[in-house]
Amino acid sequence: MQSLDGKRIAILATHGFEQSELEVPLKKLRDAGAQVDVVAPEAGEIRGWDKKDWGGPVAVDRKLSEASAEAYDALVLPGGQINPDLLRTDPAALDFIRAFDAQKKVIAAVCHAPWLLIETGIARGRNMTGYKSIRTDLANAGAKVHDEPVVVDQGIVTSRNPGDLDAFCDKIAEEVNEGRHRQRQAA
């Protein structure tokens, strides 16, 4: 993975995130030198979902109401079914995601998290992938859907499942090092 020294990355999540989809990027991006903050609507800890039951807690570094897209180079959105479903009904979470898009910063979503890109309107016209059960949702939102491990479209990185997290993290690092995607606009 490319070095991320001096870069700041936010991971936006709430209760019910898929354990590996938050913890693996958190570790890999920190190991590459990035300062990574777990941002959540609530302070304290959020609890993950680990395959078929509740998983462990993860400490929240910054409450969403105190976070700003301007402070970060990229945003990572872990999936799981519960986490993105809760966040897509949270206006502050959607505004946070839209702010990254407006600033042409990297946004990375794995598994069910592309639901958030649908809800914010970011999916329209983009090449994307996601978990098999949301691909119809992506297509209905106007995305160009691909059944590939990781798809990148002008700084929007999507991945279909937790088995692809190494490639997902590598693409996040690559896109962050490219910088802002000034040409990014929906097709």
Side-chain angles (χ1 to χ4, degrees):
M1 176 182 285
Q2 295 179 12
S3 171
L4 291 169
D5 289 341
K7 303 296 184 180
R8 293 194 67 204
I9 299 174
I11 297 178
L12 176 62
T14 192
H15 299 288
F17 61 88
E18 182 64 40
Q19 202 80 38
S20 65
E21 294 173 15
L22 188 151
E23 290 181 340
V24 171
L26 178 65
K27 180 179 182 345
K28 286 184 167 292
L29 297 170
R30 282 182 175 165
D31 287 351
Q35 177 184 330
V36 184
D37 291 337
V38 175
V39 177
E42 54 281 314
E45 294 180 333
I46 52 176
R47 192 166 178 200
W49 186 263
D50 196 2
K51 297 175 186 74
K52 296 185 180 198
D53 201 354
W54 287 103
V58 170
V60 173
D61 298 302
R62 186 164 311 279
K63 195 172 173 185
L64 179 57
S65 62
E66 300 166 353
S68 167
E70 289 79 18
Y72 297 99
D73 298 292
L75 175 63
V76 176
L77 302 169
Q81 293 175 325
I82 300 167
N83 170 63
D85 199 40
L86 291 173
L87 289 176
R88 68 182 173 164
T89 64
D90 183 333
L94 299 176
D95 287 345
F96 189 62
I97 296 164
R98 284 186 191 108
F100 278 85
D101 186 54
Q103 295 171 37
K104 313 292 188 225
K105 293 182 176 180
V106 174
I107 301 172
V110 61
C111 195
H112 286 77
W115 268 341
L116 294 163
L117 303 181
I118 292 169
E119 196 66 35
T120 56
I122 295 168
R124 179 167 303 285
R126 303 266 181 243
N127 290 295
M128 300 179 77
T129 193
Y131 191 71
K132 61 185 173 185
S133 67
I134 71 161
R135 290 190 197 135
T136 299
D137 298 338
L138 286 166
N140 288 340
K144 300 169 194 160
V145 182
H146 303 272
D147 183 12
E148 297 176 21
V150 178
V151 175
V152 180
D153 188 333
Q154 292 294 314
I156 304 293
V157 181
T158 52
S159 183
R160 62 185 175 195
N161 65 52
D164 303 319
L165 288 173
D166 287 341
F168 179 64
C169 292
D170 288 344
K171 282 297 183 185
I172 293 169
E174 183 180 317
E175 292 298 301
V176 167
N177 282 314
E178 282 183 15
R180 293 186 188 205
H181 290 78
R182 300 194 192 290
Q183 304 305 323
R184 185 163 78 201
Q185 58 187 0

